[in-house]
Amino acid sequence: MDPLFHLLNVLPYSFLRPPRLRLKLPTITLPSAMTVFSLVLLTYFMVVSGVVYDVIVEPPGIGSTQDPRTGTVRPVVFMSGRVNGQYIIEGLSSGFMFVLGGLGIILMDLAISPNRPKSVKISFAAAGVSSMVIAYVMSMLFLRIKIPGYLA
């Protein structure tokens, strides 16, 4: 080892002492299970609603079409006949139906908990089944509007 390098490493520490500090590490609390679930559900809604598509392509919120008989312009929510395109409201409503179906499954799971009263179990089961049925029927309706003649 070079003597000059050794001297420069040893000499300053012969009269300088490091301070004695007691640092407190910051405590990070973990989020609750409901917070994590809410973030996952929100992310799922954003993904299935096509928010990334909406940001990139910037489609209009709703469309419009002219009635051939009267000539009046009426709003259109679904981009009929185009599978690879959507209006913003179309994506958000479809995403809401998917989330509603997922919440129905969660309510059905809560209905089989052994620690709940029977009336609460029945309420959870009824809300879960109705949520799933509404989500399925509306999703099929959206699909038939989107693609006429599909699943007919």
Side-chain angles (χ1 to χ4, degrees):
M1 183 179 226
D2 186 22
L4 183 62
F5 182 72
H6 181 69
L7 183 69
L8 288 176
N9 271 342
V10 173
L11 182 65
Y13 298 108
S14 62
F15 59 90
L16 291 176
R17 299 281 177 231
R20 292 183 185 183
L21 297 176
R22 290 192 173 202
L23 297 176
K24 238 183 180 181
L25 293 175
T27 58
I28 299 173
T29 59
L30 293 176
S32 68
M34 194 49 137
T35 304
V36 173
F37 172 73
S38 299
L39 284 173
V40 168
L41 190 65
L42 179 69
T43 304
Y44 176 73
F45 173 73
M46 300 285 262
V47 168
V48 298
S49 295
V51 172
V52 175
Y53 170 82
D54 293 341
V55 168
I56 293 172
V57 177
E58 297 179 2
I62 59 172
S64 61
T65 185
Q66 191 170 13
D67 192 5
R69 285 186 292 148
T70 61
T72 59
V73 177
R74 60 185 177 100
V76 177
V77 176
F78 288 93
M79 210 178 268
S80 184
R82 284 193 56 200
V83 181
N84 60 347
Q86 71 179 17
Y87 294 123
I88 293 174
I89 298 298
E90 175 184 355
L92 292 177
S93 57
S94 298
F96 176 74
M97 288 303 139
F98 291 145
V99 169
L100 183 66
L103 288 176
I105 292 172
I106 292 168
L107 287 172
M108 293 289 291
D109 182 55
L110 290 174
I112 62 171
S113 175
N115 299 330
R116 299 194 195 284
K118 187 174 183 179
S119 62
V120 174
K121 287 181 180 183
I122 291 171
S123 299
F124 278 159
V129 168
S130 61
S131 295
M132 289 172 46
V133 167
I134 290 170
Y136 175 76
V137 168
M138 292 304 291
S139 295
M140 289 296 110
L141 177 68
F142 291 171
L143 190 61
R144 287 187 180 137
I145 293 171
K146 184 80 173 164
I147 311 168
Y150 185 69
L151 297 174

